[in-house]
Amino acid sequence: MNAVGTATARKKIVLVDDQITNLNIGRNVLSHIYDVFTVPSGEKLLLLMQKITPDMILLDVEMPVMSGYDVMKIIKSLPDFNHIPVVFVTAKSDLGSELEGFSLGAVDYIYKPYSPPLLLKRIEAHLLVDEQRKELLDLNNNLEEMVTKKTQSVLELQNAVLETMAELVEWRDNETGGHIDRTQKYMRLLVDGLIESGLYSEETSAWDVDLLVLSAQLHDVGKISISDNILTKTERLSQQEFELMKKHAAFGGQVINKIQSKTSEQAFLNYAKVLAEGHHERWDGKGYPNGLSGTDIPLPARLLAIVDVYDALISQRVYKAAYSHEKAVEIIKEGRGTQFDPHLVNLFLSMEDRFKHV
């Protein structure tokens, strides 16, 4: 009995031998320590294993109908039983037979007649090794579960950071209400379409698409640095005010840089920085803040440029009425090769009906 008053479970060992005398000897040696099951053939062993799962099998090699090696091959092919340690106990004592036994997956090869004390010690050692294997497997499974939970926790934190920062922007810039949410949905459409098309596949194959789409929420995060007088103005901006407003792209990159400098969990903001800084760059190099052109503009930013303009066009502003979907599509089409990546515009045009129904 153990400390809590329950009997310690005894290990189950199955002896397989076609000689009844050998089975009786083995039972006498082992039964005071283990629960011993004896069967006269490989076929009977397989039937027994439908009822119990042994902790160890002591297997004779030379048996009629099905040899020990044949039985071993079957055991190793069964996912529920291939982990069970098998020890060959046999009179077949040539080196080639022993080598074959080990090559089939046996943990030991013991010759008859054996010394009972030695047999017990070797069984004890192999059961200990198997117990340690199970403990390591449990530990590994627990570690995997812990890593999964930790990863989920980190993802939830990342999402909370992205959503909270996006809400801060939208609270201040309430005239564009819904823009952030719609932009994220449009971004998902265009990114999924891009991947389906195979265009720029070398780049997109390395993307974390879910994180990229979530990061689109922060493309206007730089607006938190823009004066309320400009951000909430109910009239068209003057040229000077517009120049100040344009600085939100550079400010966005700076804001995200500052966050990244203060945390070790910063890689998830890489997409956000690219989108915040690059979504107003133009294919012809006449955009801002860095005047990048062509494929020097990061691909995620080139995608968002189309998405951002589309939503701005179909939305009402103090300085303009909302354009129709058709008019917005025509304007984007006119910007092909100047404002926008021509390949991405072609992609957008091929799926513009999907945008209309968001």
Side-chain angles (χ1 to χ4, degrees):
M1 302 287 283
N2 61 20
V4 294
T6 58
T8 302
R10 283 161 53 108
K11 299 289 187 181
K12 297 186 286 291
I13 295 181
V14 178
L15 306 180
V16 187
D17 198 305
D18 62 323
Q19 298 295 320
I20 189 66
T21 301
N22 293 334
L23 293 177
N24 289 334
I25 292 172
R27 181 193 295 276
N28 291 336
V29 171
L30 302 176
S31 59
H32 66 290
I33 299 176
Y34 306 108
D35 287 342
V36 180
F37 301 81
T38 58
V39 290
S41 68
E43 296 89 341
K44 292 291 179 65
L45 168 66
L46 297 175
L47 289 173
L48 177 65
M49 288 169 61
Q50 295 177 15
K51 301 176 181 178
I52 68 164
T53 300
D55 293 292
M56 177 175 285
I57 298 170
L58 303 183
L59 183 59
D60 188 20
V61 172
E62 295 181 298
M63 296 184 292
V65 183
M66 186 183 294
S67 74
Y69 297 147
D70 294 331
V71 176
M72 184 67 164
K73 291 174 185 176
I74 294 173
I75 292 172
K76 289 301 178 182
S77 71
L78 301 173
D80 292 337
F81 301 107
N82 59 16
H83 62 279
I84 298 172
V86 176
V87 175
F88 282 118
V89 182
T90 177
K92 197 173 177 65
S93 59
D94 62 283
L95 184 60
S97 298
E98 184 174 351
L99 182 60
E100 183 174 0
F102 281 116
S103 68
L104 290 174
V107 298
D108 208 342
Y109 197 99
I110 298 174
Y111 300 129
K112 299 175 185 176
Y114 51 77
S115 161
L118 183 58
L119 177 66
L120 285 170
K121 283 298 181 184
R122 291 171 83 161
I123 290 174
E124 180 184 353
H126 289 304
L127 287 174
L128 178 61
V129 169
D130 190 59
E131 195 65 36
Q132 291 171 340
R133 178 193 64 80
K134 292 176 183 176
E135 289 175 2
L136 285 173
L137 183 61
D138 288 342
L139 177 60
N140 183 60
N141 290 337
N142 289 336
L143 285 174
E144 287 182 359
E145 184 178 352
M146 290 171 63
V147 168
T148 299
K149 289 181 178 179
K150 178 64 175 176
T151 300
Q152 184 61 36
S153 176
V154 169
L155 289 174
E156 289 173 357
L157 176 60
Q158 291 175 0
N159 294 346
V161 169
L162 293 172
E163 290 174 7
T164 301
M165 292 178 68
E167 287 172 359
L168 287 173
V169 174
E170 195 149 57
W171 285 340
R172 293 195 64 221
D173 189 18
N174 55 22
E175 189 228 13
T176 58
H179 171 66
I180 290 174
D181 181 56
R182 289 192 304 274
T183 298
Q184 193 175 352
K185 292 176 180 176
Y186 293 141
M187 190 68 169
R188 167 64 74 175
L189 279 178
L190 202 55
V191 169
D192 286 348
L194 178 66
I195 292 172
E196 288 171 14
S197 73
L199 184 64
Y200 296 122
S201 60
E202 192 169 331
E203 285 187 70
T204 60
S205 63
W207 284 1
D208 181 334
V209 172
D210 290 335
L211 183 55
L212 170 59
V213 172
L214 280 171
S215 298
Q217 298 175 96
L218 292 190
H219 71 280
D220 278 336
V221 69
K223 287 184 177 179
I224 63 176
S225 299
I226 303 298
S227 165
D228 284 343
N229 294 334
I230 296 175
L231 197 62
T232 61
K233 187 175 180 178
T234 58
E235 302 169 355
R236 182 182 288 273
L237 298 179
S238 68
Q239 185 59 39
Q240 183 180 8
E241 290 169 333
F242 181 62
E243 290 301 319
L244 290 173
M245 176 65 87
K246 286 167 60 176
K247 291 185 178 181
H248 81 275
F251 286 150
Q254 293 168 17
V255 167
I256 294 170
N257 266 338
K258 191 167 185 179
I259 297 172
Q260 288 183 308
S261 70
K262 295 180 181 296
T263 175
S264 59
E265 293 285 350
Q266 56 176 262
F268 80 101
L269 288 170
N270 288 342
Y271 288 124
K273 180 182 176 185
V274 165
L275 296 174
E277 221 171 28
H279 69 287
H280 285 296
E281 300 288 356
R282 289 174 52 112
W283 186 258
D284 60 10
K286 296 179 181 179
Y288 59 88
N290 300 313
L292 301 178
S293 64
T295 56
D296 287 339
I297 307 168
L299 180 55
R302 304 200 311 266
L303 287 162
L304 186 60
I306 295 174
V307 164
D308 189 48
V309 168
Y310 174 79
D311 188 68
L313 289 170
I314 65 169
S315 301
Q316 183 175 342
R317 297 288 186 267
V318 294
Y319 53 85
K320 76 167 189 68
Y323 291 159
S324 68
H325 165 78
E326 289 73 21
K327 178 65 174 176
V329 169
E330 188 60 32
I331 291 173
I332 290 174
K333 185 177 180 181
E334 291 172 359
R336 179 169 48 192
T338 54
Q339 186 170 356
F340 308 115
D341 180 333
H343 302 297
L344 297 184
V345 171
N346 291 339
L347 174 66
F348 168 78
L349 294 175
S350 72
M351 55 187 301
E352 49 100 357
D353 282 347
R354 301 188 208 175
F355 280 71
K356 185 176 183 178
H357 291 100
V358 170

